């Protein structure tokens, strides 16, 4: 038999966990569904220093504190991968690899996953030198040479984190300007272990059993360059985790969920919060704000229906 809840929240990142806290405080019968470890991207983030009142703090520690807070409100959590979402009248049906669930109101807070380079060798050497998590794997590159790819906040933040382990680090950007915040750029420019390589794109990852080389292509001349490295950390942006949404008309052309200021989607009773929404600023603090609004709006929807 399908388990039924008034509200289901998919995703236990900062937005989903905040929504869970607000929903439980509003007395709503709520279930939180999470595919991995609670915390979302927080778990892979070295340091959070722009969340007022708690920083600087390790992302993993903040994730644990948030999760413990949800548990202090007795928020039931199921660990499952959501495969499909359908709507039947007012009911929302969620199919997962660990059972099916039904709810009246739904908050989607599934965040994003890393964008892949999609170049030869990337998949083959993932876990053998190619890593998408500096915090998880940085320690394995003690006194080694690595490359970080990308010029956004993630790439620069993780490059700075890696300098405590590595002997040297190439930071590769495809333009001649960074996308990241000025403060991070200034820190990177001052870091002697970081060598910045501009206007180059990753072309291939090569090696025998593990990463040995990264081949780059110049964006203007198309000439190739070889870097001898032991590790490659691509941080080239994110893609929304919204595949399970299927044909529901709530996504934009890039797969992000379109919400209004009340976190409502185009489908009545379905809300979205955090990084999976089409928004300007993807931060822990904005995710939490989204989650709070979504839960309050879901609560008033449930009262009216
Ligand atoms: P971003 O989209 O901000 O940056 C992606 C970077 O990768 C850009 O420099 C982009 O280049 C480059 N890039 C994209 N595609 C390719 C490719 N195929 N090959 C090579 N380079 C490529 O992503 P982030 O993951 O850095 O950040 C995501 C969001 O999270 C942002 O809103 C960011 O501000 C936020 N964030 C905030 C943090 C903080 O405040 N401390 C920490 C981490 C993330 P180009 O610039 O040329 O497009």
């Amino acid at each position: 038999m399908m388990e039924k809840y008034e509200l289901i929240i998919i995703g236990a990142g900062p937005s989903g966990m905040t929504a869970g806290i607000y929903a439980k405080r509003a007395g709503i019968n709520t279930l939180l569904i999470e595919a991995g470890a609670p915390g979302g991207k927080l778990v892979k983030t070295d340091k959070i220093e722009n969340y007022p009142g708690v920083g600087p703090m390790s992302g993993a520690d903040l994730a644990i504190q948030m999760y413990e807070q949800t548990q202090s409100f007795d928020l039931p959590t199921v660990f499952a991968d959501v495969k499909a979402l359908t709507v039947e009248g007012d009911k929302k049906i969620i199919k997962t690899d660990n059972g099916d669930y039904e709810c009246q109101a739904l908050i989607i807070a599934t965040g994003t996953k890393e964008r892949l380079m999609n170049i030869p060798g990337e998949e083959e050497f993932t876990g053998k030198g190619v890593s998408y998590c500096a915090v998880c794997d940085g320690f394995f590159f003690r006194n080694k040479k690595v490359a970080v790819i990308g010029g956004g906040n993630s790439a620069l933040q993780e490059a700075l984190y890696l300098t405590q382990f590595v002997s040297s680090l190439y930071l590769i950007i495809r333009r001649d300007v960074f996308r990241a915040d000025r403060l991070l750029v200034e820190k990177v420019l001052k870091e002697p272990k970081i060598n910045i390589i501009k206007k180059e794109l990753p072309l291939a990852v090569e090696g025998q059993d593990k990463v040995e080389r990264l081949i780059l292509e110049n964006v203007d001349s198309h000439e190739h360059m070889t870097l001898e490295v032991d590790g490659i950390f691509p941080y080239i942006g994110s893609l929304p985790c919204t595949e399970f949404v299927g044909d529901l008309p709530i996504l934009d052309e890039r797969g992000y969920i379109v919400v209004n200021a009340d976190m409502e989607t185009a489908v009545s009773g379905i809300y979205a919060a955090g990084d999976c929404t089409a928004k300007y600023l993807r931060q822990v603090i904005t995710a939490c704000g989204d989650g709070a609004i979504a839960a309050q709006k879901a609560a008033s929807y449930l009262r009216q229906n």
Side-chain angles (χ1 to χ4, degrees):
M1 211 179 68
M2 195 148 33
E3 280 185 40
K4 293 182 185 172
Y5 293 85
E6 286 178 289
L7 171 67
I8 289 181
I9 302 162
I10 310 176
S15 59
M17 290 197 279
T18 305
I21 291 167
Y22 274 70
K24 286 300 290 186
R25 291 185 78 237
I28 298 169
N29 177 24
T30 307
L31 175 72
L32 181 63
I33 302 179
E34 167 58 43
K41 273 227 201 64
L42 263 185
V43 177
K44 295 183 175 182
T45 304
D46 169 36
K47 203 166 33 164
I48 301 292
E49 53 184 18
N50 53 4
Y51 189 76
V54 299
M57 185 180 211
S58 109
D61 287 348
L62 184 56
I64 291 167
Q65 282 192 18
M66 285 186 184
Y67 185 63
E68 284 175 353
Q69 199 168 343
T70 68
Q71 296 312 291
S72 74
F73 288 102
D74 295 324
L75 176 65
T77 309
V78 160
F79 291 92
D81 201 0
V82 173
K83 300 294 183 192
L85 166 64
T86 49
V87 176
E88 291 173 16
D90 284 345
K91 293 181 202 159
K92 286 87 190 169
I93 315 289
I94 296 139
K95 292 193 185 305
T96 84
D97 61 359
N98 188 13
D100 297 345
Y101 301 88
E102 182 187 313
C103 57
Q104 292 159 260
L106 173 69
I107 298 175
I108 304 173
T110 42
T112 58
K113 60 186 172 219
E114 58 272 345
R115 177 184 283 137
L116 302 181
M117 297 184 290
N118 288 320
I119 58 172
E122 179 178 27
E123 196 182 342
E124 178 187 348
F125 290 106
T126 295
K128 297 173 185 167
V130 174
S131 167
Y132 305 90
C133 182
V135 175
C136 320
D137 299 330
F139 186 72
F140 300 116
F141 295 90
R142 282 186 315 280
N143 302 319
K144 304 222 162 147
K145 280 188 188 171
V146 301
V148 172
I149 300 161
N153 280 328
S154 301
L156 271 65
Q157 187 166 304
E158 302 315 311
L160 286 166
Y161 173 77
L162 284 166
T163 57
Q164 65 186 299
F165 306 109
V166 301
S167 59
S168 67
L169 184 152
Y170 297 107
L171 179 61
I172 296 146
I173 60 173
R174 64 180 177 181
R175 293 186 289 155
D176 54 2
V177 287
F178 290 98
R179 181 178 288 272
D181 296 344
R182 208 171 75 191
L183 192 68
L184 273 175
V185 175
E186 282 168 8
K187 280 189 188 169
V188 159
L189 293 176
K190 281 190 205 140
E191 173 50 59
K193 282 188 184 174
I194 297 182
N195 306 295
I196 296 160
I197 300 184
K198 294 178 178 172
K199 300 190 101 176
E200 296 281 344
L201 278 170
L203 192 67
V205 180
E206 293 181 353
Q208 288 292 326
D209 303 328
K210 57 187 179 54
V211 168
E212 291 171 21
R213 290 174 298 281
L214 172 65
I215 317 296
L216 300 176
E217 181 178 70
N218 187 276
V219 294
D220 296 326
S221 68
H222 301 290
E223 278 176 22
H224 294 182
M225 174 199 260
T226 300
L227 298 178
E228 307 282 337
V229 290
D230 305 288
I232 298 170
F233 291 83
Y235 281 103
I236 60 168
S238 316
L239 299 170
C241 300
T242 54
E243 294 89 347
F244 62 88
V245 163
D247 292 338
L248 285 180
I250 60 173
L251 303 181
D252 71 5
E253 66 290 347
R254 297 175 309 148
Y256 287 92
I257 301 174
V258 178
V259 287
N260 63 15
D262 289 336
M263 300 299 130
E264 292 165 330
T265 69
V267 176
S268 177
I270 300 185
Y271 305 81
D275 286 5
C276 65
T277 63
K279 67 192 298 201
Y280 163 66
L281 187 61
R282 294 192 171 85
Q283 301 274 299
V284 180
I285 188 123
T286 57
C288 293
D290 291 353
I293 296 167
Q296 289 298 104
K297 292 307 288 188
S300 60
Y301 171 84
L302 289 165
R303 277 196 297 271
Q304 287 158 16
N305 285 276

